[in-house]
Amino acid sequence: MNLVEKDLKYIWHPCSQMKDYEELKPIVIERGDGVYLYDKEGNSYLDIVSSWWCNLLGHCNPVINDKIKDQLDQLEHVIFANFTHEPAIKLCEALMEIIPKGLSKFNFSDNGSAAVECALKMAFQYQYQTGHKEKTRFMCFTDGYHGETIGALSVGSLDLYAQIYNPMLMDTIRIDAPDCYRCPYGKTRDSCQVECFVQAEKAFEKHGHETCAMIVEPILQGAAGMRMYPSRYLQKLRALCDEYGVLLIADEIATGFGRTGKMFACDHAEITPDIMCVSKGLTGGYMPMAITITNNQIYEAFYAEYKEGKAFMHSHTYSGNPLACSAALAVVNILKHDHVLEKATVRAAYLNRRINEALLHHPHVGEIRNIGLINAVELVKNKETKEPFSSENRVGYQIYKAALKKGLILRPLGDVLYFNPPLTIDEEELDEAIDSCVSAINKVIG
Ligand SMILES: *Cc1c(COP(=O)(O)O)cnc(C)c1O
């Protein structure tokens, strides 16, 4: 049996209809270097999606590699209750310099969904312990995505991931998310006065009193199809949350660490959430780690004599893993010392110009939207009416397969193709990605 046959014998791959693998076999990757991955036959693949949005500074980045290797010979893991270690402490110190002002307490876990669960429980218990036992519900956006565990699914609302599990989920309050491409108020991005915010106002009027927190993906709803909304919306939401005593949880798992051009998406609106979740880019895509970050006020509501029972009894075996902390510390230092964001901003402008030149006039390109290096191309059946392709056609998936043959990993969200590359990608690599993407599109819907 070769490796692929053995893979199919044993492995149940994530987020996949395994029957699709009969036709498109799993690709065995042997090594990575920068933005490229190489399979066993020596074929190269340009990883324009950062291996599920987490690879931040290239595969096998020599600096991060060295830091992990050094740590490996010191300490691989230690219980994090009552024990600690230098990499975790130094990491928090380094993060304090780049996170939104006012956040100061770090609770470690090992994946994005876990960080969201932690945020939800923390918010709930905070309200309970500060005299608001009636605040038991959560608000979230329609088309939001916060991970796959039961709590995270409850505050997400993409039917693709959640619908079948509905009977298992919490009853959350959903607010229509801004939909700027198909604005129900008939506005364009230029004429927008955040008219849709009235939906949030109505929901808070009705449910604010019973709500402990609202969770959002700030500025960019990733899994919804890289949908982007104005920072003004987020500013208004911050104010509304304060008015109703509702905590604001910012899920920066996809947007953190420079993905949107600023260090965090919240920085576009110059707001500080009460709780912020980070993961993905945190370790440069090396190690599973996440942090739920909050402020002193929330922390203080749990700080009491043991017998009062106010502690946050929440833990994960791999909380604060030293190898992951070393990777993350290396990432934050590289971001700082190598001026990664400034350089990425220049290439982001280049990418956006080139992608518009190549695709804006295509008869099936409805919109090209961008923030930072993230560029999304929404394909539609009818450019005038914005009518989508029928989902049965799986247009995005056909383009994904065509792009793979050209050595580009696209992995679209439905019919939204997107680039979300490592921040270190260069212009030549961007050109290659655009060329392969355009020819894959033309092959399928030319
Ligand atoms: C990926 C993602 C998550 C979930 O993270 P996992 O590590 O996959 O559990 C949560 N929220 C957002 C916005 C994400 O993009």
Side-chain angles (χ1 to χ4, degrees):
M1 243 193 264
N2 65 26
L3 276 179
V4 170
E5 286 162 348
K6 285 190 191 175
D7 172 283
L8 291 173
K9 180 169 175 208
Y10 296 116
I11 297 176
W12 194 343
H13 285 272
C15 208
S16 299
Q17 171 47 264
M18 290 307 301
K19 195 166 193 323
D20 283 345
Y21 287 53
E22 285 175 13
E23 195 202 329
L24 182 62
K25 304 272 191 258
I27 297 161
V28 184
I29 295 298
E30 199 167 52
R31 64 186 183 88
D33 182 10
V35 297
Y36 289 99
L37 295 165
Y38 298 89
D39 69 14
K40 285 192 87 68
E41 278 77 50
N43 300 312
S44 68
Y45 300 89
L46 207 171
D47 187 5
I48 205 71
V49 298
S50 294
S51 283
W52 262 345
W53 318 350
C54 62
N55 187 287
L56 197 70
L57 303 168
H59 292 281
C60 280
N61 182 297
V63 178
I64 307 174
N65 284 11
D66 282 346
K67 294 291 176 196
I68 296 174
K69 284 178 196 164
D70 289 348
Q71 182 58 38
L72 191 56
D73 285 330
Q74 289 285 321
L75 174 69
E76 80 302 329
H77 187 64
V78 62
I79 175 173
F80 208 47
N82 219 111
F83 289 82
T84 189
H85 49 79
E86 194 168 307
I89 297 164
K90 279 193 166 164
L91 173 61
C92 295
E93 217 173 25
L95 286 170
M96 281 300 290
E97 287 182 33
I98 60 170
I99 56 176
K101 270 202 178 49
L103 296 172
S104 56
K105 295 287 177 186
F106 300 78
N107 189 300
F108 286 80
S109 53
D110 47 22
N111 66 76
S113 307
V116 168
E117 299 286 335
C118 173
L120 300 177
K121 285 173 66 182
M122 195 183 273
F124 182 93
Q125 192 172 341
Y126 168 79
Q127 298 286 10
Y128 186 93
Q129 289 176 182
T130 53
H132 295 289
K133 293 188 181 165
E134 75 289 357
K135 287 186 170 287
T136 57
R137 300 185 69 189
F138 292 94
M139 284 186 190
C140 56
F141 276 147
T142 54
D143 299 315
Y145 180 84
H146 300 287
E148 304 288 355
T149 51
I150 300 300
L153 269 186
S154 298
V155 290
S157 31
L158 286 167
D159 282 347
L160 174 65
Y161 307 105
Q163 192 172 33
I164 191 163
Y165 309 106
N166 251 335
M168 300 169 68
L169 304 182
M170 290 188 282
D171 181 24
T172 49
I173 299 147
R174 283 160 194 205
I175 297 173
D176 285 345
D179 184 355
C180 301
Y181 174 46
R182 294 185 175 86
C183 176
Y185 300 85
K187 296 301 180 94
T188 64
R189 287 187 195 270
D190 289 333
S191 65
C192 165
Q193 299 284 335
V194 210
E195 285 79 357
C196 60
F197 193 72
V198 66
Q199 300 294 338
E201 283 167 344
K202 276 192 206 156
F204 273 72
E205 229 166 81
K206 197 159 168 215
H207 298 290
H209 67 281
E210 53 171 341
T211 301
C212 65
M214 163 129 194
I215 183 166
V216 298
E217 292 163 90
I219 306 294
L220 174 80
Q221 288 191 295
M226 298 294 175
R227 276 163 50 164
M228 297 155 196
Y229 61 90
S231 48
R232 188 83 195 97
Y233 191 107
L234 197 56
Q235 290 165 345
K236 286 163 93 69
L237 188 63
R238 172 70 278 186
L240 196 61
C241 283
D242 286 342
E243 190 183 330
Y244 282 89
V246 169
L247 298 180
L248 179 62
I249 303 172
D251 175 351
E252 291 257 13
I253 292 164
T255 48
F257 303 97
R259 289 292 185 194
T260 67
K262 304 253 186 199
M263 192 59 84
F264 293 95
C266 285
D267 297 340
H268 290 278
E270 297 180 332
I271 60 124
T272 300
D274 300 293
I275 303 176
M276 183 166 100
C277 304
V278 295
S279 185
K280 293 203 165 110
L282 169 65
T283 65
Y286 268 68
M287 306 283 296
M289 186 165 80
I291 315 181
T292 304
I293 313 174
T294 190
N295 57 35
N296 278 332
Q297 187 185 331
I298 291 177
Y299 177 81
E300 291 296 336
F302 295 73
Y303 200 90
E305 294 300 330
Y306 182 79
K307 61 176 187 301
E308 287 182 48
K310 286 188 171 172
F312 191 41
M313 300 306 281
H314 180 96
S315 66
H316 290 285
T317 308
Y318 286 102
S319 291
N321 175 263
L323 296 172
C325 287
S326 312
L329 184 56
V331 167
V332 179
N333 283 334
I334 294 171
L335 289 178
K336 197 161 94 186
H337 298 303
D338 292 359
H339 307 285
V340 174
L341 265 59
E342 290 90 327
K343 292 182 201 160
T345 301
V346 178
R347 285 186 305 265
Y350 176 79
L351 168 60
N352 188 245
R353 180 168 60 78
R354 285 278 287 109
I355 214 165
N356 273 289
E357 284 166 6
L359 284 171
L360 194 58
H361 299 293
H362 191 284
H364 291 296
V365 169
E367 185 181 56
I368 300 174
R369 42 186 181 262
N370 72 295
I371 188 165
L373 271 166
I374 297 173
N375 275 256
V377 178
E378 179 150 351
L379 301 172
V380 289
K381 189 166 163 200
N382 186 321
K383 207 173 167 117
E384 295 308 312
T385 63
K386 306 181 181 177
E387 181 194 346
F389 286 105
S390 157
S391 63
E392 280 147 43
N393 296 346
R394 301 184 78 188
V395 169
Y397 184 66
Q398 305 305 327
I399 293 171
Y400 164 64
K401 289 197 290 186
L404 263 185
K405 290 210 182 94
K406 297 175 193 304
L408 177 70
I409 306 179
L410 264 181
R411 213 173 157 98
L413 296 153
D415 294 339
V416 177
L417 314 176
Y418 65 88
F419 287 12
N420 185 8
L423 302 183
T424 46
I425 192 167
D426 68 25
E427 290 186 358
E428 218 172 297
E429 291 158 344
L430 287 170
D431 285 339
E432 181 191 328
I434 292 167
D435 291 347
S436 306
C437 178
V438 170
S439 72
I441 292 174
N442 287 334
K443 188 142 188 275
V444 177
I445 48 167

